[in-house]
Structure formats: C-alpha cells, structure tokens
Amino acid sequence: DEYVSKPIDREKLFAVLAKYGAAMAPTPMAEAPAAQPPLLDRGKIGELADNLPFDTLRELLMLCLTDTIAHAACLSDADIDATSREAHAMVSAAGNLGLDRLSAQARLLEHACRKGETQFVGPLIAEVKLTATATEAEIKAWLAAAALQQKAIA
C-alpha cells in the first residue's frame, strides 16, 4: 500500500517517493523522439483547399505566417512568461492550419516555459525560429504551386 497517512512516517514516504520518483522524472530533451512531424500536413491543407476559395486560403495562410513570424520574433529566454504566451499563441494557429512541426515545437517550448525548464528554453526558441522560417518557405512554395494549378484549371 503506497498510501502515506498522517502522521507522516518519513521512511515510508521516502520509499514511496523513491518508487515513483524515477517514473515521474521529466524526460531530457536528448531522449525525445528523433522523428519530427512534417512541416506541412498536406492532407489538412488539401482539405482546407477543397473547402475554401483559393484566394481565401492564401490570405489565411499568409495571415498565419505574418502572425507566426511576429510571435517568433518576440521569443526570448529573458522573459519566460512572455515566451510561454507567444508559444501558446503559435500552437493553435499553426496546428489548425496544418503547420504540424511548428505547432509541436511551440508546444514543447510552452511546456518548458511553464515547467521552469530554463535549460531547454533557449535551444527550443532557436528551433521554433528556424522552423518558422522553413515553414514560411514551404507555404510560399505550396501556394505558388497551387496558384499554377488554379491557372491551369481556369
């Protein structure tokens, strides 16, 4: 029985903590899975393209990119609370539009900030910024290809 009642028996408490402590320890970044989500979930973007006029989708994606680049520019390991808020703003917007890797990395950054895992914040900020730039290029390439396809259909 792992229940520790009052008055606390220190030996029993330490035994329970030792038993469960290792299982509850945070996973170091080095042990994170190597496989990353794709920059773009082409299925999700394709679904949006099937349901929205191309001009609307282009405006939506460009607005998301503008916001994402602005949020990424505000990320700083000097202000963990503000960085957590900026990362949180990126998670949903990116996830809803199929920017999977950016959403996943922003979520990791947000969690590191909220847990006070400051040793991970700087490297995660760098990753989020690189991914935001790569995502921007990928979206612009997708939009250019989709625009050519729209012209071919018309």
Side-chain angles (χ1 to χ4, degrees):
D1 181 17
E2 282 82 22
Y3 182 76
V4 181
S5 63
K6 292 180 184 177
I8 303 289
D9 178 312
R10 290 176 54 150
E11 289 182 23
K12 186 172 182 179
L13 174 64
F14 289 137
V16 170
L17 289 173
K19 180 177 179 180
Y20 291 103
M24 295 172 53
T27 303
M29 293 298 290
E31 294 179 22
Q36 293 187 20
L39 283 173
L40 300 181
D41 177 343
R42 294 188 185 279
K44 190 176 285 185
I45 291 179
E47 185 178 319
L48 290 168
D50 291 343
N51 292 291
L52 294 172
F54 179 72
D55 289 339
T56 302
L57 178 57
R58 182 183 62 237
E59 288 175 27
L60 184 62
L61 288 170
M62 294 308 294
L63 177 63
C64 180
L65 277 178
T66 301
D67 285 350
T68 296
I69 298 302
H71 288 300
C74 294
L75 300 175
S76 167
D77 57 2
D79 188 345
I80 301 299
D81 291 335
T83 293
S84 178
R85 287 189 301 274
E86 297 292 342
H88 179 80
M90 295 171 77
V91 170
S92 296
N96 287 335
L97 293 176
L99 314 181
D100 289 358
R101 188 178 306 170
L102 184 59
S103 180
Q105 288 180 342
R107 180 173 282 113
L108 287 173
L109 175 57
E110 178 188 10
H111 286 253
C113 290
R114 288 183 185 220
K115 291 180 179 180
E117 297 173 342
T118 56
Q119 71 274 25
F120 300 130
V121 171
L124 285 169
I125 288 172
E127 284 295 316
V128 167
K129 287 182 177 186
L130 286 172
T131 300
T133 301
T135 300
E136 179 182 26
E138 190 81 8
I139 286 177
K140 286 180 177 179
W142 185 89
L143 286 170
L148 288 176
Q149 186 178 20
Q150 290 290 315
K151 284 183 182 180
I153 293 172

